[in-house]
Amino acid sequence: MTTPAHPRTSDELIRAEEPVLAHNYHPLPVVVARAEGVWMEDVEGRRYLDLLAGYSALNFGHRHPALVAAAHRQLDRLTLTSRAFHNDRLAPFAERLAALTGTDMVLPMNTGAEAVESGIKVARKWAYDVKGVPADTATIVVAAGNFHGRTTTLVGFSTDETARAGFGPFAPGFRVVPYNDLAALEAAVDGTTAAVLIEPIQGEAGVLIPDDGYLAGVRELTRRAGCLFVADEIQSGLGRTGHTLAVDHEAVVPDVVLLGKALGGGIVPVSAVAGRREVLGVLHPGEHGSTFGGNPLAAAVGTAVVELLETGEFQRRAAELGVVLREGLTALVGRGVVGFRARGLWAGVDVDPALGTGRDLSERLMREGLLVKDTHGSTIRLAPPLTITEDELRGALGTLEKVLTA
Ligand SMILES: *Cc1c(COP(=O)(O)O)cnc(C)c1O
C-alpha cells in the first residue's frame, strides 16, 4: 500500500476506487470533501448545490447545527450499550417519535432495509398470533415498481431485473400487483394476507404519485380484509412532501409506518418501525433484535430530528417551496421537459430523450454546479434539502432551464 505524498485530486481518487471498491454503484464523477447546508464542495474546492439530499437522508441539509450539536453532546457521554442494557436516550426517543407519527410503539433499527425486514417479520407474526393464519402460509401484497431495499428477501419481490437477477433463490410469500390499482390489490388479498406493503409515493421508480383516493382506498380495503397496511415512508416521510408523512396527504393512518433515511439526520443510520400496540406488541424478548438498533447516539440524533419536525417548519417549507418547484417545472414542459410529478420538495422530471439520458443530463448539470440523480431512462429526481432558500431553488431551476434549452 503506497500513500501518495501529495493530496490526491478528484480524478486520482476516482481512479483509485476502481481496483479496491466493489462496483455496485456508478457515481457521478465528483468527489465531495465537505458540505454545509445545501452546499457540497469537492476536493478542488468547486461548489455544488445538492439537489438529491442523500435520497432524503439529508432533509435538514448537511450538518444541521442542532443535529451536529446533539451528536457531539452524545459522543461525549455514551455511544453504545446494546439492548442488553437500557440506555437513557431510548425512551425519550421512542415517546417523541410515536407522538410525531401518531402511533403507540416504536421498534428502532438502523438502515431502511432493516426497518422493512422488521416490518415484514412483525406483520407475519401478527398474522399467525392475532389473525390466526395457519403457520408459514402468510402472504404480503406489494406493488410493482417497488423499492424497499437490497436484502435478498426485499429484492426477491422487486420488479427491477437489475436489482433482482442473479441473487435468487428468494423468499416466498409475496404477491406483486400493479401500483395505483385498487382492483388488482383487492383481487390479490385473501385470508392468508398479513399485510399490504406499499410506498405512498414510489421514489426510486421516478417519484410516482398515486391518484388521490388510492391511499384511502388501501386503508379501507385492508381494514375490510382484516390485514395490515404497512406504509414504507423511508423516503417519502419526515417532511419531504410537505407533511410529516406522505400518507397525511389523504389523512390516512396505516397500521405500521416504516421510517429511515432522514431519521438519522444525515449523521448516523437510524430507522424504525412505528405501529399500534396490537401489532408491535406481538414481539417478545429474543424474537427480534439488532446490536446497534436503538443505540444512544442514534436515539439522541433521532430525537433531535423529531424536535425539528415537531415545529412544523420543515413541512411548511416543503409545501411552500414545492409551489415554486412546481411552477418552475411547469414552465419547462415542452422546453426539454416532457412531464413531471411533484409533491412538496420532491419531483421526478421526465426529460426529452432527444436531449440524452438522465445520466447525460446529470453530468451536464454537475458541470453547472447542480447535483441530481437520474432514475430510469430519461428521468431525473429532484429532492433538495428542505432547508434550501427560495433564491437557491430559483437559481437551481434557472440552471436546469439553461442546460435543458442550451
Ligand atoms: C432507501 C429506501 C429503503 C432502504 O433504505 P436503506 O437505508 O438504503 O436500506 C427502503 N424503502 C424506501 C422507500 C427507500 O427509499
Side-chain angles (χ1 to χ4, degrees), residues 180-196:
N180 194 25
D181 183 338
L182 287 170
L185 193 59
E186 176 118 51
V189 167
D190 63 21
T192 68
T193 308
V196 172

Side-chain angles (χ1 to χ4, degrees), residues 111-114 116 147-149 199 204 232 234-235 261:
T111 66
E114 285 175 300
V116 183
F147 182 88
H148 296 292
E199 298 154 84
E204 298 299 310
D232 181 346
I234 290 167
Q235 193 164 159
K261 293 202 165 101

Side-chain angles (χ1 to χ4, degrees), residues 254-310:
D255 300 291
V256 174
V257 173
L258 309 175
L259 298 167
K261 293 202 165 101
L263 192 57
I267 298 175
V268 279
V270 186
S271 68
V273 180
R276 291 186 294 109
R277 187 175 316 280
E278 305 90 274
V279 181
L280 279 182
V282 299
L283 291 181
H284 303 105
E287 292 173 349
H288 189 56
S290 159
T291 303
F292 288 92
N295 73 73
L297 180 60
V301 173
T303 303
V305 164
V306 173
E307 277 171 14
L308 291 180
L309 287 165
E310 281 168 353

Side-chain angles (χ1 to χ4, degrees), residues 58-76:
L58 290 157
N59 274 3
F60 310 98
H62 295 265
R63 298 167 47 240
H64 188 287
L67 303 181
V68 169
H72 276 153
R73 276 196 305 275
Q74 194 57 39
L75 279 172
D76 289 336

Side-chain angles (χ1 to χ4, degrees), residues 321 388-397:
L321 292 173
I388 194 169
T389 65
E390 185 171 336
D391 280 352
E392 287 165 339
L393 181 59
R394 288 191 188 281
L397 287 163

